[in-house]
Amino acid sequence: MSSTTPRKESFEDFYSEVKEIEKRDSVLTPKQQIERLLRPGSTYFNLNPFEVLQVDPEASLDEIKKKYRRLSILVHPDKNIDDSERAQQAFEIINRAWKTLESEDTRKKCLDIYQEAKERTDHMIEQKRKKQRKENRMAEGIPEDDPDKYKHSIYVMTMKLFADMERKRQHLETRDMEERKRKREAEIEQEEQMSFEKEWAKNFEESRQNRVDSWKTFQSGGSKEKKKKKIMGFKPPKPKPESR
């Protein structure tokens, strides 16, 4: 009886493990992977390269590389001719995730985010327990006492931090773009003002001689008119008739 029970438990463990493998592999079908990577909200989900490649943040680079190769084959456009356009998008998402984790610097930044998420989750859990202690409800426990729920809490916090980081990046990019736009508009305005002043000075210089000549002509014309008036205005006296 005692020998049967361990054998039964061993079989059940084996069967559960097989079912888990089947469940995992069922997700790793081309169609499901494409759907996963392009689902609503995927823009933010795909910020997390660990999530994209479905690897544990603490996995080795070799493990990550194996997963990347497997996924890239599954979603490759040549393997999904009936949905090649979406497959190409999914393929590019996987490539970006791999390039992020392949680089030691960017992988470290991602790991730092994961570590911060873990620390924040632990702090949140500690606050919950502190509250329970005050209320004498320690026996109730908290949801995160379950390892799966604890892991999920870290996952949610990790996604939040990646999303926050992306929003900050977009904000800085928008602000930088607006600043560059303002500077360019100021430069254009200054260039236009300089061009106007240069054109005005050029026109002024070109017209200076004309103004001088016009003034001389005017002055000359005025003198002749005065002389003309003097000549025309002079009337010699009429001769007196002879007296006899």
Side-chain angles (χ1 to χ4, degrees), residues 48-242:
N48 183 350
F50 302 115
E51 166 68 11
V52 171
L53 298 180
Q54 294 184 307
V55 293
D56 189 277
E58 296 175 358
S60 68
L61 188 59
D62 284 340
E63 291 175 313
I64 296 171
K65 190 173 185 179
K66 286 177 185 177
K67 196 62 176 287
Y68 156 68
R69 286 177 173 173
R70 185 177 184 184
L71 288 174
S72 62
I73 290 170
L74 281 171
V75 304
H76 198 285
D78 293 346
K79 300 284 185 180
N80 298 275
I81 298 174
D82 59 331
D83 197 9
S84 59
E85 187 175 337
R86 297 176 80 243
Q88 180 64 37
Q89 293 177 37
F91 183 73
E92 289 172 1
I93 289 168
I94 286 172
N95 273 334
R96 280 199 300 271
W98 165 244
K99 287 185 182 300
T100 300
L101 295 180
E102 182 185 26
S103 166
E104 187 176 345
D105 289 340
T106 51
R107 186 170 73 255
K108 185 180 182 304
K109 288 178 182 177
C110 292
L111 284 170
D112 287 344
I113 291 173
Y114 167 74
Q115 187 60 36
E116 183 179 348
K118 192 172 180 298
E119 289 172 1
R120 288 194 184 193
T121 302
D122 290 342
H123 177 72
M124 177 265 294
I125 290 171
E126 182 57 34
Q127 292 302 309
K128 283 185 177 181
R129 285 179 175 151
K130 189 181 289 185
K131 184 179 179 182
Q132 283 188 336
R133 280 195 296 270
K134 285 183 179 179
E135 298 172 356
N136 295 319
R137 294 189 298 109
M138 287 297 294
E140 295 178 11
I142 58 174
E144 290 78 13
D145 287 335
D146 182 334
D148 289 337
K149 290 183 179 178
Y150 172 66
K151 190 174 181 180
H152 180 70
S153 294
I154 295 174
Y155 165 80
V156 171
M157 182 62 72
T158 302
M159 299 304 296
K160 181 182 181 301
L161 292 179
F162 270 107
D164 288 346
M165 184 180 69
E166 176 62 13
R167 279 192 288 268
K168 286 178 183 177
R169 186 195 67 78
Q170 290 178 358
H171 175 71
L172 290 173
E173 188 178 80
T174 301
R175 191 173 67 179
D176 185 56
M177 190 171 9
E178 289 174 351
E179 184 62 26
R180 287 200 305 269
K181 184 181 176 182
R182 279 195 296 270
K183 284 183 179 179
R184 184 57 190 149
E185 286 174 350
E187 287 173 359
I188 291 172
E189 186 178 352
Q190 187 177 9
E191 287 170 3
E192 288 176 348
Q193 181 64 25
M194 289 175 67
S195 177
F196 171 78
E197 291 175 358
K198 188 176 179 181
E199 187 68 22
W200 187 89
K202 180 183 175 184
N203 293 338
F204 181 84
E205 186 61 28
E206 288 177 350
S207 64
R208 187 171 66 85
Q209 190 59 44
N210 292 335
R211 292 196 306 276
V212 171
D213 293 343
S214 296
W215 177 250
K216 287 181 178 179
T217 302
F218 172 75
Q219 290 285 52
S220 176
S223 299
K224 287 179 181 178
E225 187 66 25
K226 284 180 182 179
K227 287 179 181 179
K228 188 176 180 182
K229 281 182 181 180
K230 286 181 181 179
I231 294 170
M232 289 182 67
F234 174 73
K235 292 181 180 181
K238 292 180 180 181
K240 292 181 180 181
E242 292 182 2

Side-chain angles (χ1 to χ4, degrees), residues 14-30:
F14 171 75
Y15 181 75
S16 297
E17 186 177 349
V18 169
K19 295 302 290 182
E20 283 297 318
I21 292 171
E22 287 177 351
K23 182 181 177 182
R24 183 191 65 197
D25 288 348
S26 70
V27 176
L28 298 177
T29 62

